[in-house]
Amino acid sequence: MSGKGQDEGGLRAQRTLWADPGWRRWVLASLFPRLGGAMMPFALLLVGEAALGSFASGAWMTSAYAVGAAVASPFRGRQMDRSPLPGALRTPLLMQALLCGAMALAGAARAPLPVLLLLSLLLGVVPAGLAGAYRALLPSLLSPHQMAPAFAIDAVLIEVAWMGGPPLVGALALVHPGLSLAAIGAGALVTLGANRWLPARAPPPSSTLPGDKVSLRPMLRGMPLLVYVSVVACGVSWGAVDTALPPRLVEMGSRAELWGGLSALLSVTSALGGLIHASLLRPASAARALWRALVFQALWGGLLLPTVWMNSFLGLGGWLAAAGLFLAPLVGLLTYLLQQSLPADRQAEGFALYGACWALGIGAGSALTALLLHHASARMALVPTGIVPLMTAVAVALMARALRPGRLRKDSEVAQTRDVGGEP
């Protein structure tokens, strides 16, 4: 098919998707959890700095939040797979709102670091699995041929949340850092109302793993394993960017709150890249989609490396914007590959593990920032942002070549079968 034909096919798929009322309701219901997730790391960083006078303390809080999400996500995802949706989301959303209020009060009272770390951990644990649950709802809302454009647009919607989230945190922090947490809590309550517009999804009638027991073994091989390894690396990179840039701005004589603007710029270019990628037809096989994702991952990391040597706000912004062009396309490909290679009755669990890998990476990246702020500088804390995704792209490429020859081909056949509405 010609390039023009591919563009027209992709645009037609997008128009069809947005004409679907079920998709529009899903986008609205998932909006505030996405926005809260985009706001939370920066909010905790600034709350920690305001309460204890140290960006390193805020980075440790961000790390604790991410670790809590990483540990809890697989268990919460399995629970979501075996529970009716979206009803199972009610309790975690209510608890998240309460914990946001508690953290805002603790920060205002300058509570000691152990208390703030505990609350940060709980803020990661309680809403864990929400993103996976929303993605698990998509097959009950959309037809099989709509899944590829849906996951491409899903990556763009994440970037839209990141366009608004960090700048909102920066603006609210000029009044008081705790206001960001209040906004996240309010968003969780709004989501409770929006969920009422989503159709109920009963647990799948049969399961490869009855009950609430979590077994990761079937997921940690073949295509899912390659996806999860790439996601951890992306999380490390983003965790380092998100926690090292604010102190780097201060180190350069600027204000930490300006990271909100830089983050929005990165998200704008990422969304632009995602929209361009969504307008193209997906690769013909899972193996080709994986190789494209690895190229995007290498470009993301390679374009972040020069930020280490930038000494101006404009220089940082230029390289972040360039790198952002490849982030949403990368995320869209990874989520699509994962959805195509997961059993139907383990979608929420698999996507919760995807979220756990992101959170694990963010926790590791935030911890690296805290250590490098203690022992080196904010400039050096930017080094992992580019090195980690670059090295991992090479490692995953080698892993893919080392897999049994039929493994990725089998995943490709499963993907193609699902696209025509059949069963794997």
Side-chain angles (χ1 to χ4, degrees):
M1 182 180 288
S2 69
K4 181 179 179 181
Q6 290 182 347
D7 290 347
E8 291 176 351
L11 292 172
R12 189 183 308 113
Q14 290 185 60
R15 288 194 294 268
T16 301
L17 188 64
W18 284 108
D20 190 315
W23 166 255
R24 296 197 300 269
R25 287 193 293 268
W26 182 89
V27 169
L28 180 62
S30 64
L31 171 64
F32 287 101
R34 294 178 189 274
L35 186 62
M39 294 173 67
M40 188 65 77
F42 192 23
L44 292 176
L45 184 75
L46 294 183
V47 166
E49 194 278 334
L52 303 174
S54 167
F55 279 112
S57 297
W60 283 119
M61 289 168 60
T62 301
S63 181
Y65 159 77
V67 168
V71 172
S73 287
F75 300 94
R76 299 286 293 140
R78 185 60 193 161
Q79 183 182 19
M80 297 294 179
D81 269 329
R82 306 309 303 148
S83 303
L85 294 175
L89 305 179
R90 186 179 302 111
T91 298
L93 287 169
L94 285 172
M95 291 183 65
Q96 182 186 33
L98 292 173
L99 282 169
C100 283
M103 176 62 88
L105 292 174
R110 300 182 183 274
L113 182 59
V115 174
L116 297 178
L117 288 176
L118 176 61
L119 288 172
S120 299
L121 183 74
L122 292 174
L123 278 168
V125 169
V126 166
L130 288 182
Y134 278 109
R135 286 191 175 112
L137 278 167
L138 280 177
S140 63
L141 293 169
L142 304 177
S143 60
H145 72 274
Q146 291 178 304
M147 297 305 294
F151 278 100
I153 297 297
D154 177 60
V156 176
L157 294 174
I158 293 173
E159 297 308 323
V160 170
W162 280 93
M163 288 179 204
L168 180 58
V169 172
L172 292 173
L174 296 175
V175 181
H176 193 281
L179 289 178
S180 299
L181 293 165
I184 296 171
L189 297 178
V190 171
T191 303
L192 286 173
N195 282 348
R196 297 174 63 88
W197 296 340
L198 294 177
R201 189 217 73 167
S206 62
S207 175
T208 57
L209 185 66
D212 294 330
K213 182 182 178 182
V214 172
S215 175
L216 303 182
R217 184 178 300 175
M219 299 184 187
L220 298 183
R221 57 188 174 192
M223 184 62 75
L225 174 62
L226 300 180
V227 170
Y228 290 138
V229 171
S230 294
V231 168
V232 171
C234 292
V236 171
S237 177
W238 182 257
V241 167
D242 204 25
T243 52
L245 255 298
R248 175 61 181 149
L249 289 169
V250 173
E251 192 176 71
M252 291 164 46
S254 189
R255 294 182 63 95
E257 289 83 3
L258 289 176
W259 163 235
L262 287 177
S263 176
L265 174 64
L266 188 157
S267 296
V268 167
T269 59
S270 181
L272 177 62
L275 288 171
I276 294 172
H277 187 255
S279 69
L280 305 174
L281 290 182
R282 67 174 182 84
S285 69
R288 290 183 182 180
L290 176 65
W291 289 110
R292 184 186 293 183
L294 293 178
V295 170
F296 289 160
Q297 184 169 330
L299 288 168
W300 160 257
L303 291 169
L304 284 176
L305 272 180
T307 61
V308 178
W309 297 282
M310 292 298 104
N311 292 310
S312 68
F313 185 82
L314 290 178
L316 286 173
W319 286 106
L320 286 170
L325 286 169
F326 303 97
L327 182 57
L330 168 61
V331 172
L333 283 167
L334 292 177
T335 51
Y336 174 68
L337 282 168
L338 189 59
Q339 191 273 333
Q340 291 293 303
S341 57
L342 288 173
D345 60 342
R346 302 192 70 180
Q347 296 272 312
E349 184 179 5
F351 278 115
L353 183 58
Y354 171 94
C357 289
W358 260 106
L360 179 64
I362 290 174
S366 301
L368 280 173
T369 297
L371 291 172
L372 289 169
L373 289 177
H374 274 303
H375 300 291
S377 65
R379 179 196 293 272
M380 293 306 298
L382 287 171
V383 171
T385 63
I387 289 293
V388 171
L390 269 173
M391 293 178 62
T392 305
V394 174
V396 172
L398 294 174
M399 290 169 63
R401 292 182 67 87
L403 284 174
R404 289 177 300 165
R407 188 67 192 181
L408 293 182
R409 185 163 59 251
K410 179 182 177 182
D411 288 335
S412 175
E413 291 169 356
V414 169
Q416 291 171 352
T417 302
R418 287 180 177 174
D419 280 346
V420 297
E423 291 297 328

